[in-house]
Amino acid sequence: MPRPRTYKTEAIVLKAARLGEADRLLTMFTPSLGKVRAVARGALRPKSKLAGHLEPFTRASLMLAQGRTLDVVAGAQALEAFPTLRADLERTGLAFYLAELVDRFTAEGQESYPIYALLLEALGWLDKAQKVGLARPAFELQVLRLSGHGPQLSHCLKCRAEIKGAAAFSSASGGALCPICERDAPDARPLSIAARRAMVYLQGSAFSRGARVKVPTAVEREMEGLLQGYIAYVLEQSVKSAIFLERLRREDVSAAAAPNSRPYPEGPA
Ligand SMILES: [Zn+2]
């Protein structure tokens, strides 16, 4: 939809990069205009009225003016800053990753209210939930589904047979393969029954419902490996923040190894 010369919108900041001496180049996601890029002039000056309202993942109310190449932020008021999330390194790392996924999976000006709502729900979860839980795979599977890349997990992608036992996952095929068809897929990786069932559940459930599901750590790791490979395949290059999260985990082995084995609720699997 064409934008008037000045327009008001709510937005979540996906990315804020320094531009020149004191400006900020913002990539934002809006409920009805999709992804918008804009310049916040002087936002890095301490006395700027914009300072503090345009940090990454802040939800803000904005007044924007159309510029020749980029729109310009004329006014900004933070609506939600998610302070608890920001106080925690793991949650902040995850929020950067989720914002980067939204950035990578959407095109500028391509409206998607469901993706906006998903990101807002996930940031609220990271800010409020006692445990991060399965926030990462829940978000990944939802953003894949909403952008038309959801992996097929219930039937073999080659012979269409229903998958019941252990199977394989092939990024190039777009999901699950039965034990017979996987022989012809060089990129196929093992897909356990538990990981497949958890992924089917996460794909078919609202984000917050999926994020609170409990699975053994091994299943979480398996899903993470498969989804990382699949997302990298879909985006044709790995997502930089995922590497940061990996490094963070290696530095915090004790938290990653915490026992976590209550079964997840029965889903549509
Ligand atoms: Zn098959």
Side-chain angles (χ1 to χ4, degrees), residues 144-211:
L144 282 164
R145 182 179 66 78
L146 292 171
S147 58
H149 299 287
Q152 158 66 252
L153 297 162
S154 55
H155 291 80
C156 172
L157 278 155
K158 286 220 168 106
C159 71
R160 309 302 305 158
E162 191 185 346
I163 293 193
K164 286 178 180 147
F169 187 92
S170 159
S171 295
S173 309
L177 293 175
C178 75
I180 295 164
C181 296
E182 72 163 293
R183 292 177 204 154
D184 304 325
D187 78 322
R189 294 171 65 178
L191 175 63
S192 70
I193 298 173
R196 192 184 68 81
R197 286 188 64 205
M199 284 163 79
V200 168
Y201 183 79
L202 296 182
Q203 201 167 38
S205 308
F207 169 83
S208 302
R209 237 186 116 169

Side-chain angles (χ1 to χ4, degrees), residues 15-255:
K15 206 157 71 178
R18 193 190 185 98
L19 189 70
E21 192 67 356
D23 297 349
R24 267 190 142 174
L25 174 60
L26 303 165
T27 306
M28 300 173 289
F29 205 73
T30 68
S32 58
L33 301 165
K35 191 161 75 180
V36 171
R37 295 204 320 147
V39 180
R41 296 220 169 101
L44 291 172
R45 291 202 182 93
K47 285 184 180 167
S48 165
K49 271 185 279 180
L50 300 174
H53 296 282
L54 297 167
E55 295 306 311
F57 11 101
T58 294
R59 182 170 75 92
S61 167
L62 300 173
M63 182 63 80
L64 291 152
Q66 267 199 358
R68 257 172 303 163
T69 48
L70 281 165
D71 293 357
V72 175
V73 179
Q77 179 65 52
L79 299 172
E80 252 178 304
F82 309 107
T84 316
L85 178 174
R86 281 172 213 282
D88 180 300
L89 189 59
E90 186 201 356
R91 291 176 190 232
T92 305
L94 201 48
F96 268 110
Y97 173 63
L98 305 189
E100 187 175 348
L101 281 183
V102 170
D103 187 18
R104 300 284 295 276
F105 274 104
T106 57
E108 231 168 293
Q110 182 196 331
E111 177 253 339
S112 173
Y113 181 75
I115 290 181
Y116 183 84
L118 170 67
L119 181 59
L120 192 56
E121 190 182 0
L123 292 173
W125 173 268
L126 291 180
D127 195 51
K128 297 274 179 325
Q130 248 184 338
K131 287 194 171 150
V132 168
L134 292 188
R136 177 178 174 164
F139 188 90
E140 288 170 330
L141 283 161
Q142 288 299 318
V143 85
L144 282 164
R145 182 179 66 78
L146 292 171
S147 58
H149 299 287
Q152 158 66 252
L153 297 162
S154 55
H155 291 80
C156 172
L157 278 155
K158 286 220 168 106
C159 71
R160 309 302 305 158
E162 191 185 346
I163 293 193
K164 286 178 180 147
F169 187 92
S170 159
S171 295
S173 309
L177 293 175
C178 75
I180 295 164
C181 296
E182 72 163 293
R183 292 177 204 154
D184 304 325
D187 78 322
R189 294 171 65 178
L191 175 63
S192 70
I193 298 173
R196 192 184 68 81
R197 286 188 64 205
M199 284 163 79
V200 168
Y201 183 79
L202 296 182
Q203 201 167 38
S205 308
F207 169 83
S208 302
R209 237 186 116 169
R212 65 168 57 95
V213 160
K214 295 209 167 78
V215 298
T217 306
V219 174
E220 195 179 337
R221 293 286 170 271
E222 182 185 343
M223 284 197 288
E224 191 175 306
L226 293 174
L227 286 168
Q228 195 172 330
Y230 180 59
I231 288 168
Y233 180 84
V234 170
L235 294 172
E236 288 180 315
Q237 54 178 308
S238 66
V239 178
K240 279 178 283 167
S241 308
I243 297 164
F244 169 75
L245 286 174
E246 186 52 44
R247 195 184 319 140
L248 201 65
R249 168 162 315 123
R250 269 187 264 119
E251 287 163 12
D252 187 13
V253 179
S254 56

